[in-house]
């Protein structure tokens, strides 16, 4: 009787490794899939807000928060990161936006599109930046009334200018309107440095006025 020895022989080592890699990949995919589905939902909701012809600061903040949630689920997503970069551009924070773009593996065409978008938005900020600069100079000269009028003009020119709104809030804090900080946080997402700037302004106001009747 001829015995079939093949059925008693072990599988070749390369087949075992291949099967192991396949199993690990399948497990990873199964665990990762829900995260990418969530990221896609956040991304689409944020993108729908950005497509609006006229977007308010509150809507832009909502889009920002949706993209932030999406990026937690899919940190390497190019599309999500690009949209975050665009929001920084809309806020007038060009260095932050361009910094995000520079870290992404953009194609030549994508790089051209982001650059043209940045230039177009920057053009719209020219007048606003002039008023913003005048407002800061007025604060340094202790001319708070003129500083406020200039920052209001800056916001009229660029209603989404985050730096202008922050400066406006600081001016109002200097005049004792600390409650204005709540409106700022309703309109814009503040990072740690921006929140610290506001906190310092409040602290300075309280120190100056603590001995006043």
């Amino acid at each position: 009787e001829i015995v079939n020895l093949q059925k008693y022989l072990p599988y070749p080592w390369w087949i075992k490794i291949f099967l192991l890699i396949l199993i690990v990949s399948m497990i990873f995919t199964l665990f990762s899939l829900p995260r990418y589905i969530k990221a896609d939902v956040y991304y689409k909701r944020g993108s729908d807000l950005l497509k609006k012809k006229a977007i308010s600061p509150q809507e832009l903040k909502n889009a920002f928060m949706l993209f932030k949630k999406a990026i937690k689920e899919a940190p390497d997503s190019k599309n999500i990161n690009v949209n975050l970069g665009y929001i920084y551009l809309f806020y007038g924070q060009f260095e932050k936006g361009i910094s995000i773009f520079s870290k992404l593996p953009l194609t030549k065409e994508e790089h051209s599109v982001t650059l043209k978008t940045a230039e177009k938005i920057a053009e719209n900020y020219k007048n606003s930046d002039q008023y913003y600069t005048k407002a800061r100079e007025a604060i340094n000269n202790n001319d708070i009334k003129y500083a406020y009028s200039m920052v209001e003009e800056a916001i009229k020119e660029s209603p989404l200018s985050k730096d202008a709104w922050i400066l406006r809030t600081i001016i109002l804090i200097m005049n004792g309107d600390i409650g204005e900080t709540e409106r700022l946080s309703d309109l814009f997402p503040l990072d740690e440095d921006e929140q610290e700037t506001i906190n310092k302004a409040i602290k300075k106001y309280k120190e100056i006025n603590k001995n006043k009747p």
Side-chain angles (χ1 to χ4, degrees), residues 69-137:
K69 288 180 179 179
I71 213 69
K72 284 183 179 179
E73 304 296 339
D76 296 326
S77 170
K78 184 162 63 174
N79 288 338
I80 298 170
N81 277 289
V82 165
N83 277 284
L84 276 174
Y86 280 142
I87 288 181
Y88 282 119
L89 295 183
F90 291 139
Y91 280 150
Q93 297 179 318
F94 297 99
E95 288 186 7
K96 289 183 178 180
I98 292 172
S99 175
I100 289 177
F101 297 145
S102 66
K103 297 173 183 176
L104 297 175
L106 300 177
T107 64
K108 187 176 181 180
E109 184 179 353
E110 290 169 337
H111 178 75
S112 177
V113 170
T114 55
L115 183 61
K116 287 179 181 178
T117 303
E119 290 174 347
K120 185 177 180 180
I121 295 173
E123 186 69 24
N124 294 333
Y125 266 87
K126 276 187 176 180
N127 291 335
S128 176
D129 287 344
Q130 292 175 7
Y131 290 122
Y132 177 81
T133 300
K134 289 180 180 179
R136 290 188 65 90
E137 290 173 350

Side-chain angles (χ1 to χ4, degrees), residues 23-37:
I23 292 170
V24 170
S25 298
M26 291 177 64
I27 293 173
F28 177 79
T29 301
L30 288 172
F31 278 99
S32 300
L33 190 59
R35 294 181 59 192
Y36 284 106
I37 291 174

Side-chain angles (χ1 to χ4, degrees), residues 41-52 55 63 67:
V41 170
Y42 293 136
Y43 170 74
K44 286 180 178 177
R45 287 170 59 190
S47 296
D48 287 342
L49 287 171
L50 286 188
K51 289 175 184 175
K52 299 183 69 173
I55 187 168
F67 290 135

Side-chain angles (χ1 to χ4, degrees), residues 150-167:
M150 287 296 96
V151 82
E152 284 286 288
E153 290 297 323
I155 291 172
K156 284 181 184 178
E157 291 288 337
S158 301
L160 298 176
S161 174
K162 192 177 183 183
D163 290 340
W165 277 93
I166 289 174
L167 186 61

